[in-house]
Structures are given as C-alpha cells and as structure tokens.
Amino acid sequence: MGVLKFMFKVAAWSLVAAVCAIVFGSIFFAVAGRNAEVPDLLRIPLGTAGAAGAIGFFILWPGMLFDSLVASDLPILKRLGWFFGVLFLGPFGAVAYYFISFKPLRDPS
C-alpha cells in the first residue's frame, strides 16, 4: 500500500502544480498580450507540469472514486456525496477528496 499511497500523493500535487501553471500562464498572457510567446526558459517546466497533471489525473481520479465509494469509513450518504462529487468535478473533486477525506494509513483494528 505504500507505493499506491505515494502515487496518489504525487498525482495530487502534480494536479495542483498543473493548475498553478495554468493560472500563471493565464496571468502572463493577460499582461503580455495575446501574441506574446512563452519564454524559452518556461516552456519546458510549464509543459512538464501540464503533462504531470494529466498523468496525475488518470492515476488519482479512479483511485479516489474507488476509495470514496468502497474503501472509505464514512457513512453511506457521505460516501455517495463524495463519490458523485469526485465523479462530476473530475480533477478538482479528486484533489479535494484527497486533501479532505482520504486516509492513506488505515488502522486495520
């Protein structure tokens, strides 16, 4: 379970980094104008953040869907609420569930 926990952690933070990169890019283009090009020093880091966010989404989303519906210790109505929240909100719901309700270290007793 340690590897899966680590993958979810990396996936969640990569999605956060991708959203930050999108916000940074939006601010850059708003300030610099529509025809401005991204500086060469920023193309690779921003592209890497976007790719990591896309890969992170496909790791985190199914894992949080499964955890919210099956593996969670929450009452059934909260589990259904989280499940539909993660299902319909996509990456935002998955990141919210990860940081608010996901318990990676469950005590078996």
Side-chain angles (χ1 to χ4, degrees), residues 87-100:
L87 181 68
F88 292 125
L89 294 176
F92 301 110
V95 169
Y97 179 78
Y98 176 81
F99 286 117
I100 295 171

Side-chain angles (χ1 to χ4, degrees), residues 16 36 42 62 75:
V16 170
L42 294 178

Side-chain angles (χ1 to χ4, degrees), residues 29-54:
F29 282 113
V31 171
R34 286 191 81 142
N35 296 331
E37 289 189 22
V38 176
D40 290 337
L41 284 174
L42 294 178
R43 283 186 186 181
I44 292 176
L46 291 177
T48 303

Side-chain angles (χ1 to χ4, degrees), residues 18-91:
V19 169
C20 290
I22 290 170
V23 168
F24 174 77
S26 298
I27 292 171
F28 173 79
F29 282 113
V31 171
R34 286 191 81 142
N35 296 331
E37 289 189 22
V38 176
D40 290 337
L41 284 174
L42 294 178
R43 283 186 186 181
I44 292 176
L46 291 177
T48 303
I55 293 169
F57 169 70
F58 287 109
I59 293 172
L60 190 68
W61 191 57
M64 296 302 106
L65 280 172
F66 174 79
D67 188 81
S68 66
L69 193 60
V70 177
S72 178
D73 295 334
L74 297 171
I76 188 68
L77 288 177
K78 285 188 179 182
R79 282 193 280 173
L80 285 173
W82 272 116
F83 175 78
F84 287 118
V86 171
L87 181 68
F88 292 125
L89 294 176

Side-chain angles (χ1 to χ4, degrees), residues 1-2 4-6 8-9 64 67 71 97-107:
M1 189 66 170
L4 192 58
K5 174 187 149 190
F6 178 73
F8 287 153
K9 185 177 190 177
M64 296 302 106
D67 188 81
Y97 179 78
Y98 176 81
F99 286 117
I100 295 171
S101 288
F102 181 66
K103 306 275 191 291
L105 296 175
R106 291 195 170 83
D107 189 6

